[in-house]
Amino acid sequence: MPLLPTSRRQLILSTVLSSIACKKKGLGFAGHAFVANQEGKAVAVVDLTAFAATRHIPLPASPTQVATHSSRPFVYALTPDSRSVHQIHANSLSLGRAAKLPGQPEALRFSK
């Protein structure tokens, strides 16, 4: 036969302790995710430890794609309407330089 709490205090305490024990808080991933927000004309920065957007980096046109290069601390955002690629500093989460492209880009990709 299971033991039952003998007082109201024990009942509340056992309920609180069991709810705490069941909630294992995840540590997440120490880093950021960058998401192209076409409608907002921005790149959203998501903190992966909190799973929350921490910053929106406004761009002059709608980004359709973001990409990173394995050896550079930048994120690049493609805005086809303005025929540009925008550089975002991954450490300071700030907008860097932009490059105008000669034609209408379809996708952003790095070569070795």
Side-chain angles (χ1 to χ4, degrees):
M1 185 168 189
L3 295 176
L4 296 175
T6 57
S7 70
R8 185 179 221 172
R9 182 179 289 168
Q10 285 179 335
L11 177 64
I12 293 171
L13 183 60
S14 66
T15 304
V16 170
L17 289 177
S18 66
S19 67
I20 291 172
C22 291
K23 291 183 182 180
K24 290 185 179 179
K25 189 166 184 169
L27 299 177
F29 177 78
H32 294 97
F34 295 84
V35 181
N37 179 355
Q38 281 185 296
E39 291 182 18
K41 291 186 179 180
V43 171
V45 181
V46 178
D47 180 354
L48 295 177
T49 56
F51 296 107
T54 56
R55 183 172 291 178
H56 291 273
I57 301 169
L59 297 174
S62 297
T64 58
Q65 184 181 0
V66 292
T68 60
H69 191 279
S70 61
S71 65
R72 297 183 183 142
F74 302 110
V75 174
Y76 299 92
L78 178 65
T79 54
D81 293 342
S82 66
R83 293 190 275 160
S84 300
V85 174
H86 303 272
Q87 182 185 63
I88 298 169
H89 298 274
N91 296 331
S92 63
L93 305 178
S94 62
L95 191 58
R97 301 181 294 175
K100 270 293 206 205
L101 303 171
Q104 186 70 26
E106 293 181 19
L108 183 60
R109 159 177 81 171
F110 292 103
S111 62
K112 291 185 179 186

